[in-house]
Amino acid sequence: MDAAALLERTWGGGGEIFSGTSPGRVTLIGEHVDYAGGLVLAAAIDSFVTVSVRRSAASTFRIVSSGRTVERAETMPCGDIGDRILGAVEALRRAGHWTVPALDIAVEASLPESAGLASSAAVTCATLIAVLGLIGASVAASEIVEWALVAERDIAGIPCGPLDQLSVVFGRSGDVLLLNCLSIEVDARIPWRWDDAVLVVCSTAERHDNGGDGYRQRVEEAGEVLAAVGAMSAQETVDPAALAALPPPLDRRGRHVFTETNRVQRAAEVLRSGTAADLGDILSASHASLRDDYEVSTPLLDAVVAAATDAGALGARLVGAGFGGSVLALCSEADADAVGAAMTAAAGDGGVAWQLRPDAGAAWMNPGTVV
Ligand code: GLA
């Protein structure tokens, strides 16, 4: 069922409905560097969240999502399923759109939650776009990114970088984005050139750490590393000896942040003129760094990565914040089914694998509201 139909089934017909759709994203390479101002290669993907809204006959916000409904008078988070959606409404109010009325809101998604594929950013951006449609505002794509970051950082209180928001808004069908997380913009769009190489993702039943303690600790540690070596961002060149001299675990954390940014630069060259096998090697190197230096993997994620490469993947790594979530594998089209099956088997109960394609971001999917 689509979100608009869900809304009418839940609270009856009547009143004009406005909808916004956002994809999720996959990070190709460049994990845990966005909050250190690093570079990331990422793409919007062909799994989506749609949010439909209309003025509410009640004086409160009414939300239906994943078979649950809540009714809320306030927009600030209180720990229920309305938090993400009303966080977007609160961000709009803070941006000066005070006229947002009480709303009926329905959410439908093909994008799994808490799988490391940016479902939070997707829900937030889809809500922003739906509500902007209702109040009759057209805004620049960069404003959607900015307000979604306010919702995540200032309202939900998660100290994230801009990777998710930039990807889900600016993605374009068939392109990988080179994101500059220091200037918060897209530095380049690189076409996916290999017809015979595909991305397979496997989500596990281990929920990833969306803004949890492990994530916050890594953000703090990355900040300490930058301060200790006198760098403004992960894009600077730092003497490896200076990183090695830091007290543990900052030595390892620093090595990940700077080598991962370097892997992004190499991967961008490979996407332009190298082979899928070269990119596979870089993905696998990234996983080793996330596992050993950044310590955000789990035994289950490691097992899914190993299953992918044993089944013939060119490379594989955990995707998103880690501590659970999903694994991304790069493989030839001929091996994709076998790789997906091996990953699903290794993931155990709740493991699901499917192929991803770089797809359109929210800015392209909602013309008119996003200009
Ligand atoms: C989460 C955060 C992003 C980024 C990744 C790790 O998805 O929302 O900002 O830090 O983790 O690369």
Side-chain angles (χ1 to χ4, degrees), residues 217-278:
Q217 195 187 16
R218 296 305 182 278
V219 174
E220 268 175 36
E221 288 167 345
E224 287 170 35
V225 168
L226 292 182
V229 298
M232 281 281 294
S233 80
Q235 293 185 46
E236 286 181 32
T237 304
V238 168
D239 181 0
L243 293 173
L246 295 175
L250 297 188
D251 52 350
R252 303 195 297 279
R253 306 292 190 256
R255 190 164 52 204
H256 169 75
V257 166
F258 287 96
T259 58
E260 183 78 352
T261 302
N262 187 262
R263 281 186 284 275
V264 172
Q265 286 160 332
R266 281 196 288 131
E269 284 166 26
V270 163
L271 277 173
R272 290 186 172 111
S273 59
T275 66
D278 295 336

Side-chain angles (χ1 to χ4, degrees), residues 25 27 30-36 40 116-118 120-121 149 152-153 158-165 208-211 215 219 256 260 290 294 317-322:
R25 67 97 187 89
T27 319
E31 215 67 89
H32 281 283
V33 297
D34 65 335
Y35 48 74
V40 184
L117 300 172
S120 306
L149 278 168
E152 195 73 16
R153 291 172 176 163
I158 298 174
C160 66
L163 148 64
D164 300 351
Q165 294 74 14
H208 90 139
D209 179 46
N210 184 17
Y215 185 82
V219 174
H256 169 75
E260 183 78 352
L290 288 161
Y294 225 58
R317 62 176 202 81
L318 72 86
V319 65

Side-chain angles (χ1 to χ4, degrees), residues 50-236:
T50 297
V51 174
S52 292
V53 304
R54 73 173 180 207
R55 282 171 195 275
S56 177
S59 57
T60 49
F61 292 96
R62 300 190 296 191
I63 298 155
V64 59
S65 174
S66 313
R68 284 170 291 166
T69 55
V70 289
E71 191 157 344
R72 296 256 303 261
E74 304 297 333
T75 48
M76 284 305 283
C78 69
D80 70 22
I81 55 152
D83 284 358
R84 289 283 166 203
I85 294 141
L86 295 180
V89 173
E90 174 68 21
L92 274 180
R93 288 181 167 168
R94 291 187 189 185
H97 292 287
W98 294 105
T99 51
V100 179
L103 301 167
D104 293 338
I105 306 171
V107 184
E108 271 293 331
S110 58
L111 178 69
E113 258 180 83
S114 300
L117 300 172
S119 61
S120 306
V123 168
T124 304
C125 291
T127 307
L128 287 170
I129 290 162
V131 178
L132 285 165
L134 181 134
I135 63 178
S138 293
V139 303
S142 57
E143 288 177 284
I144 301 286
V145 170
E146 192 184 312
W147 299 339
L149 278 168
V150 167
E152 195 73 16
R153 291 172 176 163
D154 302 344
I155 299 166
I158 298 174
C160 66
L163 148 64
D164 300 351
Q165 294 74 14
L166 283 170
S167 308
V168 307
V169 171
F170 285 111
R172 199 164 59 184
S173 194
D175 285 353
V176 175
L177 307 177
L178 178 60
L179 303 175
N180 186 328
C181 296
L182 188 60
S183 56
I184 314 194
E185 59 195 356
V186 178
D187 269 0
R189 298 173 184 279
I190 309 176
W192 183 262
R193 290 182 303 115
W194 304 305
D195 289 344
D196 56 341
V198 296
L199 296 169
V200 178
V201 74
C202 176
S203 74
T204 71
E206 260 180 2
R207 299 294 78 191
H208 90 139
D209 179 46
N210 184 17
D213 291 347
Y215 185 82
R216 287 166 197 278
Q217 195 187 16
R218 296 305 182 278
V219 174
E220 268 175 36
E221 288 167 345
E224 287 170 35
V225 168
L226 292 182
V229 298
M232 281 281 294
S233 80
Q235 293 185 46
E236 286 181 32

